[in-house]
Every structure is written in structure tokens, then in C-alpha cells.
Amino acid sequence: MGRTTAHPPASRQVGLENHRRRCSACGGPAPADYRARRNVVTLEAVVALKVQVRVCHRKGCPLYLKPVRAEEEGRWALPDHEFGLDVIALIGALRYHEHRSVPEIHALLRARGVSISERSVTNQLDRYDELLALRMTDSRRLQQVTRQQGRVVLAMDGLQPEVAHEVLWVVRDCLSGEVLAARSLLGSGEQELAPLLLEVKAALAVPIAGVVSDGQRSIRNAVASALPGVPHQLCHFHYLREAARPLYEADRHAKKLLKSHVRGVRVIERAVEGRQDAQAQAVRSYCAAVRSALTDDRRPPLKPSGLELHRRLRAIEASLRRSEKGGARQRAETAAPAIEARPDADGEDVATTEGGLPVGRACRRNPHQCLRPERLSRQKAHGRPCRRTGACRATHPLPHRAALAHFLLETRRYWPGLFHCYDVPGLPRTDNDLEHLFGSCRYHERRASGRRRGSEGLVVRGQVRVVAAVATRLAPTVGAELAPKDIIAWRKLRASLRRRQHARVLGRRFRANPNAYLAAIERELRRALPA
């Protein structure tokens, strides 16, 4: 939609001189032919720039009759743009540092006297992402940062909010926290990831000491082919999650069954509503304890929530029985669950599921001890998996044998890359830092836009948006720092992002009218194909 109001009048004039008196291509004289005029909207006022333009008149020169404008103009605004770099910097700071939405940013700018529309705020936010990403991923800057360390440790992971769409892959240095590369790729195979790693390797002037990832097979193959001989650490957290998945599913199912037995808490609370005697206070306290036990999910697999819920409900039940023996008249034990239990071989009660799978203890010898390499000696860590798992498998019933067989299978898959972190200084045991980076980006998207899921723009423009978000949260950027050193590189980046966004536009057109969309493709094919 075009502008419906006139441009605001300028309240200040600034003249910009072009000090390059000779042509940069042929070395001949470049006289000042004329002055170009343009208005730039800044935070303080609308400034009228009078830019001196020089032109080379020597025939045969590559810059023959091509205007060369004053360099200082780039510190005020981008070419063919109305708003100054200080406005763009403020929009980026409000978005990523204060988590403001586009309407909120528009209202704040209007309150400061800046004449701008909501659509222009979105456009300038895109320019902020592009300019800051160009500055932060500049190869000379990254080489200067990493040269002080002497080496880099890479963390690699991908983000795919939508199935069957692009994947945002990020390569980050664990030592400095710098994002070395962010690309939206069509797939997650080795053929897509290996060139990305080679690009990062070519852009650095220091050796790569190690790589950490979640253990995805395509990442392993890409690291092995692109970075041969580099230690590849596999995430301990992902290993534990995959190895303990059957036990986690059994624990989650047991918690679901335990919750089904705990009913009527709200009815009991309503029955004593308005009463202030001691019995009513005790009933409300017991109900609060039951509700708190039900909502505590813990963190599996090392802290199973079903086992913890069983233990807490048994403690509530025991307390109710002691209160009954002490002469309590209020039958508050109706809030306690009727938990089915059976004694195990050691005489302890273990909660059971419908299939009879014990969930009170995942393993008599606690297989989590086998998952903690710091408890093993260096000789065992570099040798073979813990021998105790075999004894556990022999003494467990059939359901636990399947869980332990899965545990051993995942251990064999992850074992070659679990212990490089103890040999390479600075190589983390997990890639949780990169996972937290993705989580913070998704959290920002939800807080700023109100969407529950990650937006499409997080992947379509992720290669600039993620870098800009991380850099802005570390330190806000002023307007002069956004001036691009290479206008051509910025235009190429903007064109590539526009092409990727056009694919989403085509998808929306197809969903709106499939028949018209397909008919348009057929017409274009008839014109292009020979008769």
C-alpha cells in the first residue's frame, strides 16, 4: 500500500562533502557535478541532506558518467531508504532487548515524534537483522576474535518449527559464544551439512579443537567427512534421554495411572469452603499437598516424576493414617489415592502399572550410575561400557530386560563420542547452550508476537534474525555501527532472503486458491514449452 500522507517537512539541513577528488577506477579527475537532495527521518528531526556527487567524464573508464556520492551519507541512512540508522537501531533494541511487539514499537516511536507506520516498523526491523548479521558474521571480525583464543570449539544443531520445511542450522563457538554461521537449508543430510562445516573451517584462521552435537547420524557423518580427526563429543543429555526412553515411558504411564486414582480434591475443598476451624485447615493443607504432588513434573530420566509422585502420595497417606490414629474426626483421607502396591524381592512396595511393570525403582542396581562417566575411572571410560549392566539384565524380569537391551543399544551407538570432553579443554559435555539459544529465540517470538509455536520467519530469516537477537541481548547497537561496509554484500543477502520468503508466499497462494494457482502454472508452462 502506498503512502497516503505527505512526507514530513525537513527541520534541519546538512551538507555532505565528497572528498574523493579523483576517480577510484582510472585515477583521473572526478569533478563535483551536482548535489543530490534527500530527507532522512531521524529520532531528533527530519534532516534534509545535500549530498555532493562527483562523476568521472573520461571515456573508457569503468565509472564513466556513474555518480559517486559522499561516503558520509552511509552513516545517515541506507540507499533508497527514508529512515535513519538511529531509528533502525532503536527498533532493533526495542524488539530484541525489551521484547516489544510491532504495535508497541510503533506507539513508542510515534510518542517520540517519529512519523512512521506499522508496516515501516516491520521493514526497518528486517533491515536491522540484515545489517547487524553482516557486521557480526564478518570474516575479519571473527578471525580477530578467535585468534585471541588460539582455537575454536564448535557446537552444531538445527531448528525446524514446521515439518517438511527448511531447517535452520547454527554453528556456534563454545569458547567465545559467537555465532559463526547460520543457514536455512532444505534438508538435514550429510550433503547439506558438510559444505556448511567446510565454509566455517575456511573462514577461520585457527584450528578446530572439537565439535559437540546431539549425536544425530547426519551430523556425525558430516563432521567425519568435513573435519577428519577432530574430536566429536556427543551430548550426554541426549544420550541419557534416548537410553532411558523405555523407563521414562513406563514412569510416565505410571504417573498417569496414579493421577487417575487421585480424584475429588476439588469437591473436598468446596466442602470445607468458608470454615476456619482446625479440621478444615488440615483438610485444605492435605488437598494443597496432593495438588502440589500432581503438578510437579521433575526432570526425567534422572528424576522420574512418577516415582516421586508415588513416594509423596504414600507420605500423604501415611500422614492421614497417623492423624486417624490420633483421634482426628475429619475423614480427610478421602483425598489420598488407593495405590496398588506389591512387595518386591527386597520387601519394599513398588507401584505397578496395568501390565504389571514395576516403576517404584527403575533398576535394583540403579542404572543411572552406569550413565555417569565421572564415576568411572579414565581407564574404564575409554574401555567398554559398565559391566554391571549385564548383571542387572540377568536379574530383572522380562519388561526390564527390554529396557536394558535398549539402554545397551543406545550406549553402543553413543559410546565412541561420549568422553572426548575429558581430553579436550573447553569441550562441553552437552550442547545445552545451543539448545538454550534456540529456546530463547522461540521464547522471544512467543513473547513479542503472541504465537504459541515458532513462526515461519524464524527459519526463513533465521540466518540473520538469530544472530541479531543474540548480539542485541549482549549489547545494544548504536546507529553508526549498523552502517554496512559493503553495500553489494548487503543487497545480495537481502535478495537471497527475499527469494526464500517468496517460496512461503507461493504456499499461501496455493492454500488460498489451489485451482487458480495450478492454472497459472499451466499457463506459464505452455508459454515456455515449445509447441
Side-chain angles (χ1 to χ4, degrees), residues 8 12 17 48 100 106 129 168 187 212-213 235 239 261 294 300 303 322 350-351 375 411 425 436 459 466 503 507 525:
R12 176 185 168 194
E17 302 295 330
R100 302 280 187 173
H106 176 251
D129 296 341
L168 174 63
V212 59
S213 71
C235 178
Y239 161 63
H261 289 290
L294 293 176
K303 295 180 180 179
R322 289 193 298 268
V350 180
R375 297 236 177 162
T411 300
H436 293 163
V459 172
V466 170
L525 282 177

Side-chain angles (χ1 to χ4, degrees), residues 221-273:
N221 297 337
V223 172
S225 61
L227 305 174
V230 176
H232 185 189
Q233 172 68 31
L234 304 183
C235 178
H236 286 187
F237 175 80
H238 286 82
Y239 161 63
L240 288 173
R241 187 182 65 182
E242 294 299 326
R245 186 174 296 276
L247 296 178
Y248 163 71
E249 295 294 337
D251 180 78
R252 186 172 63 89
H253 183 62
K255 183 177 181 180
K256 180 179 178 181
L257 293 178
L258 288 174
K259 284 184 175 181
S260 65
H261 289 290
V262 185
R263 303 293 184 186
V265 176
R266 186 174 300 174
V267 177
I268 297 173
E269 290 177 330
R270 288 174 179 173
V272 297
E273 190 175 2

Side-chain angles (χ1 to χ4, degrees), residues 76-141:
W76 286 84
L78 292 170
D80 304 323
H81 279 64
E82 177 184 359
F83 299 95
L85 295 179
D86 55 348
V87 177
I88 299 177
L90 178 60
I91 291 175
L94 292 174
R95 178 70 168 184
Y96 297 118
H97 196 70
E98 300 185 14
H99 306 285
R100 302 280 187 173
S101 63
V102 171
E104 291 175 338
I105 298 174
H106 176 251
L108 290 173
L109 291 176
R110 296 287 294 182
R112 295 190 59 164
V114 179
S115 178
I116 190 173
S117 64
E118 285 194 18
R119 183 60 180 268
S120 296
V121 171
T122 303
N123 295 335
Q124 303 313 311
L125 182 60
D126 293 342
R127 303 293 85 76
Y128 177 84
D129 296 341
E130 298 159 3
L131 295 176
L132 189 56
L134 277 177
R135 174 174 171 266
M136 299 302 296
T137 58
D138 181 60
S139 58
R140 287 176 292 182
R141 174 187 171 277

Side-chain angles (χ1 to χ4, degrees), residues 46-63:
V46 179
V47 181
L49 297 181
K50 299 173 63 177
V51 185
Q52 188 181 56
V53 181
R54 295 181 178 273
V55 180
C56 179
H57 295 273
R58 295 183 62 181
K59 294 184 178 181
C61 177
L63 298 179

